[in-house]
Amino acid sequence: MNGDAVVDRGRYPDVVTPWEREEWRAAALDWVSDVLDAHGLRETGPRRVRLRPWSVLVRLSVEGAGPVWFKAGPPAGRFEAGLTEALSEWVPEHVLKPLAVDAGRGWSLLPDGGPLLADVLRDGPDGPRTWEALLGRYACLQRSLLPYAGKIEALGVPGARTATLPRVFDRLVAENGALTEADRAVLNGLRPRVAEWCEELAGLGIADSLDHADVHAGQVFVPSPGRFTFFDWGDAAVSHPFCSFVVPAGHAAERYGPGVLPRLRDAYLEPWTGGGRTARDLRRALRLAWRLGAIGRAVAWGRLFPGAADATDLAGDAQAAGSLLRLRDEPAV
């Protein structure tokens, strides 16, 4: 394989990842080489390595084909490789099909997925309409995965189910060293409401499913107009599916203004209609999940490489504390 590499550390010049260990790097690249050989592919050109506190990503050029991508996650996100493989079997129309995964080591080799949504939005004439279509397709993906929630958890994907969120909340508050006494007073005051919100949300009749937890324009490919491919499942959890809405809604509102939110809400909720659920019930569920999604986001901040937070300005506890405190914010929909 080509030994040249261009390394991008972004805002984390001192980030600690397994890539710095020669033995790990050699094993990973040997695995990639074996996979490429098995597919009759040959690497050409320099590698581009992207190191972050939560992932190692290597872009490899392949002769006669588009690039392929090697990804390795931290121990707490190791489930992503096996989840990616399983999703390609369960919902192939919505995700990438990996060339190979090593679920035990949390490694995957993925094909290129086409243009990013971020590039399409930059060049396209009607961004809000694209977001409406995307959220409708994402809701369809989540509905398709309702029967697989238990299997998804069995792959190691963390559980943040609606019924257990109060206990998850208690653990996060107890373990977080970045919360001040004032923060803890706020969160302890919210605790009874968290339990009430969860009970009400569970009673509205939408079962738990896969929550990507970080759907934004940099996490979605647009292989052709009207088609969307979702990737990067390292923050995922099994939770109430509506908890996913807050991140894409926030990105879209920042770009187009809060007036876009009712359109996006209705586009996301449309696939969930039926089964005796009223529009009022669905909108109430979305408002509840808007708040409670903050708990899943707080959980995800613990998925960093060991030592990564110590060598960067990224403090997982501080980020998780900020997520938890957003429970007090009024929903924007």
Side-chain angles (χ1 to χ4, degrees):
M1 293 179 68
N2 194 315
D4 298 330
V6 177
V7 179
D8 165 23
R9 298 176 183 270
R11 296 188 295 112
Y12 309 101
D14 300 318
V15 64
V16 178
T17 74
W19 183 259
E20 284 73 40
R21 302 202 309 267
E22 183 176 353
E23 181 180 0
W24 184 95
R25 188 169 65 248
L29 294 175
D30 284 347
W31 179 77
V32 170
S33 181
D34 290 344
V35 173
L36 292 178
D37 286 346
H39 285 270
L41 301 173
R42 189 174 74 86
E43 181 188 357
T44 62
R47 303 176 188 129
R48 297 188 179 276
V49 182
R50 183 180 181 273
L51 303 179
R52 298 293 186 267
W54 50 84
S55 67
V56 171
L57 191 65
V58 184
R59 181 188 186 277
L60 305 108
S61 299
V62 175
E63 188 177 66
V68 298
W69 304 81
F70 166 80
K71 184 174 184 181
R78 191 170 292 159
F79 65 81
E80 184 182 3
L83 175 61
T84 299
E85 183 176 44
L87 292 177
S88 73
E89 298 173 1
W90 297 334
V91 285
E93 68 275 23
H94 296 294
V95 298
L96 292 172
K97 180 176 178 58
L99 297 174
V101 303
D102 184 325
R105 292 188 285 192
W107 295 351
S108 57
L109 191 66
L110 300 163
D112 187 60
L116 281 173
L117 175 61
D119 298 328
V120 173
L121 292 173
R122 185 188 62 228
D123 301 332
D126 190 356
R129 185 172 297 175
T130 299
W131 278 102
E132 289 177 58
L134 176 148
L135 284 166
R137 294 301 296 163
Y138 178 64
C140 290
L141 179 155
Q142 291 182 295
R143 286 206 63 172
S144 296
L145 290 173
L146 288 172
Y148 298 99
K151 291 183 178 180
I152 292 170
E153 281 184 308
L155 293 170
V157 178
R161 288 180 176 266
T162 308
T164 67
L165 278 179
R167 295 198 297 274
V168 176
F169 172 84
D170 290 341
R171 175 178 60 80
L172 290 170
V173 172
E175 295 176 354
N176 193 300
L179 292 168
T180 66
E181 290 187 14
D183 293 337
R184 292 184 184 279
V186 168
L187 294 173
N188 288 334
L190 283 172
R191 175 58 170 79
R193 299 189 70 192
V194 168
E196 291 171 2
W197 293 334
C198 290
E199 183 177 1
E200 183 181 358
L201 182 58
L204 289 171
I206 303 291
D208 294 321
S209 183
L210 184 63
D211 173 10
H212 181 289
D214 199 24
V215 174
H216 60 72
Q219 309 275 48
V220 182
F221 293 120
V222 186
S224 61
R227 287 190 59 212
F228 303 96
T229 300
F230 301 93
F231 69 100
D232 200 345
W233 298 92
D235 288 344
V238 174
S239 190
H240 195 285
F242 290 11
C243 290
S244 291
F245 181 77
V246 63
V247 172
H251 280 274
E254 183 178 348
R255 185 180 183 98
Y256 306 111
V260 75
L261 290 176
R263 293 172 55 181
L264 301 185
R265 174 200 62 201
D266 293 346
Y268 177 73
L269 291 179
E270 196 281 329
W272 298 99
T273 58
R277 291 182 288 268
T278 67
R280 181 179 179 181
D281 287 343
L282 291 172
R283 291 181 179 182
R284 177 58 180 164
L286 193 66
R287 287 177 59 82
L288 292 165
W290 181 289
R291 288 186 185 271
L292 294 169
I295 299 175
R297 292 297 300 148
V299 170
W301 278 111
R303 300 173 198 170
L304 303 175
F305 287 116
D310 298 335
T312 71
D313 62 355
L314 183 68
D317 274 1
Q319 298 287 346
S323 293
L324 289 171
L325 290 166
R326 282 195 281 276
L327 281 162
R328 60 189 171 181
D329 295 344
E330 285 294 323
V333 293

